[in-house]
Amino acid sequence: MAVSIEINTPDDWHLHFRDGDFLKETVPATARCFQRAIVMPNLAPPVTTAAIATEYKARILAARPANSSFTPLMTLYLTNDTTAQDIRDAKQAGVVAVKLYPAGATTNSDAAVSDLSHLDPVFEALVEEGLLLLIHGEVTNHDVDIFDREKLFIDRYLRDITERFPALKIVFEHITTKEAVEFVSGSSENVAATITPQHLLLNRNDLLVGGVQPHNYCLPVLKRNIHQIALQEAVASGSKKFFLGTDSAPHEQHRKESACGCAGCYSAWGAIELYAEVFDSLGVLDQLEGFASHYGADFYNLPRNTTTITLVKESWEVPTSIVLPNGNNIVPFFAGKTLSWRLHS
Ligand code: NCD
Ligand code: ZN
């Protein structure tokens, strides 16, 4: 008999579905193992209002596989023009969180916030309405080294926001550094973080040694191994402040294998298996369920899932390519590599 583990069905607290034909690929991939997902709003143009979020949600629901009860959780994209009324309307429409991208930080973030000091009324409305603030925590100043951008965001902005709005629930998204782990650990219970599979499995050697590896390029960029180890220790600790967010972010192969390759790793088809690999190698498989299925729901004040999934210890190879409905390919994260845990269907 193969070794197996059963856990409550997990949720993905940060991913990118994209739109249009992409949804036929991305929604089934995530619904495969997750019950809910926080859907990032960085479409072009971005999801800035309740009405746009409601329409986008309907397109996602229409792309679910037959009989799937997968539920997308919608977010709004903050801009310089977002108002407190936009937040109240979002709450009415069932939106659960808003996303703060510093302008220019990542894919489709040109419309984002250029001056955080204008957002105080919005942050107050978030507290009143019980919506979460999700933050891409990197400064974007050209003079700041790309490997230091997360750490500097903490010092320049994040500490200040958490001190001025102690009742605001903040998720520091896809953290990549030991400074971020320390900041979140030392903050109040209203501050938490998501962690991706790529930042747990890889460090910047996997991006740059032996040639540039475009399929390991994401933002925030992979850091040196001391930071990878800090992230591993954070998830192994069983702290409720750290939970699953894949940041699965598909880009077509030709856009990643390019002279100016896009940032983003498409991990959805191997998501829970990639995390199982990490937790197993750290000897803490017993911590996987809390990280993947409990702590995120608790932080979002949502009920935990009551269904379960089973993972079987059985090797399989991540496909080297996925064909999109438009005929173009995606190279998935960890393409061609062997994983030792498989989702039992
Ligand atoms: C994301 C994308 O492609 O939309 N890319 C990434 O590298 N993570 C944007 C983001 O989450 O920063
Ligand atoms: Zn993302």
Side-chain angles (χ1 to χ4, degrees):
M1 263 280 285
V3 177
S4 69
I5 56 166
E6 186 178 283
I7 59 171
N8 276 143
T9 307
D11 303 300
D12 187 346
W13 300 99
H14 179 129
L15 62 59
H16 303 262
F17 275 147
R18 313 302 189 204
D19 206 350
D21 265 2
F22 256 88
L23 296 176
K24 292 185 196 141
E25 159 59 33
T26 54
V27 177
T30 288
R32 179 187 71 96
C33 64
F34 294 112
Q35 177 59 42
R36 296 170 290 199
I38 287 283
V39 181
M40 286 296 125
N42 64 328
L43 304 180
V47 180
T48 49
T49 66
I52 299 172
T54 301
E55 286 167 19
Y56 183 32
K57 182 176 183 177
R59 294 196 294 279
I60 293 167
L61 290 173
R64 286 188 306 186
N67 302 323
S68 170
S69 63
F70 170 77
T71 306
L73 301 170
M74 306 311 289
T75 64
L76 284 198
Y77 183 112
L78 292 182
T79 71
N80 293 325
D81 302 324
T82 307
T83 64
Q85 188 59 44
D86 290 326
I87 303 304
R88 291 190 279 272
D89 294 344
K91 171 72 178 186
Q92 286 297 312
V95 168
V96 299
V98 301
K99 180 71 189 273
L100 172 62
Y101 291 101
T106 189
T107 311
N108 297 338
S109 66
D110 299 345
V113 178
S114 53
D115 188 352
L116 290 185
S117 64
H118 291 171
L119 285 175
D120 284 11
V122 169
F123 292 164
E124 278 157 22
L126 291 174
V127 175
E128 277 161 28
E129 299 297 332
L131 265 63
L132 282 75
L133 175 64
L134 316 181
I135 301 184
H136 183 116
E138 290 191 286
V139 298
T140 55
N141 312 60
H142 196 67
D143 61 327
V144 177
D145 189 276
I146 189 167
F147 292 102
D148 297 334
R149 289 178 173 203
E150 184 174 280
K151 174 176 145 46
L152 261 141
F153 186 87
I154 300 170
D155 299 336
R156 286 193 189 166
Y157 302 105
L158 189 55
R159 185 170 290 110
D160 174 67
I161 298 171
T162 59
E163 283 171 5
R164 289 193 303 118
F165 297 92
L168 179 58
K169 281 202 151 180
I170 296 175
V171 184
F172 193 176
E173 296 288 338
H174 42 52
I175 59 167
T176 63
T177 57
K178 86 178 186 351
E179 287 82 5
V181 170
E182 285 161 8
F183 176 78
V184 171
S185 300
S187 296
S188 85
E189 61 182 15
N190 285 336
V191 180
T194 52
I195 304 184
T196 75
Q198 61 268 25
H199 294 105
L200 290 166
L201 286 161
L202 307 179
N203 61 59
R204 66 192 192 184
N205 279 358
D206 301 293
L207 179 65
L208 297 170
V209 173
V212 177
Q213 308 287 321
H215 300 291
N216 291 341
Y217 176 56
C218 65
L219 288 169
V221 73
L222 294 170
K223 305 296 190 297
R224 63 189 311 150
N225 75 329
I226 55 166
H227 299 289
Q228 180 191 7
I229 290 166
L231 298 173
Q232 292 173 345
E233 287 172 355
V235 302
S237 76
S239 163
K240 296 193 64 167
K241 285 172 157 284
F242 302 99
F243 47 84
L244 185 156
T246 61
D247 199 13
S248 184
H251 293 276
E252 292 176 2
Q253 181 171 7
H254 69 278
R255 293 188 185 278
K256 287 198 64 75
E257 297 175 14
S258 144
C260 184
C262 292
C265 301
Y266 184 48
S267 58
W269 286 110
I272 192 63
E273 297 89 337
L274 290 159
Y275 285 108
E277 195 85 16
V278 172
F279 280 72
D280 195 5
S281 72
L282 296 172
V284 293
L285 261 181
D286 57 324
Q287 303 286 4
L288 179 65
E289 184 176 43
F291 174 83
S293 316
H294 294 162
Y295 306 153
D298 295 351
F299 192 76
Y300 274 78
N301 253 326
L302 292 167
R304 293 179 180 183
N305 296 321
T306 51
T307 51
T308 60
I309 61 162
T310 300
L311 291 160
V312 183
K313 188 137 198 185
E314 195 179 285
S315 300
W316 62 288
E317 200 172 284
V318 178
T320 51
S321 184
I322 292 167
V323 183
L324 288 167
N326 69 4
N328 288 341
N329 290 327
I330 299 179
V331 177
F333 180 63
F334 244 52
K337 295 216 170 63
T338 301
L339 291 175
S340 49
W341 290 90
R342 182 196 271 281
L343 182 72
H344 183 73
S345 52

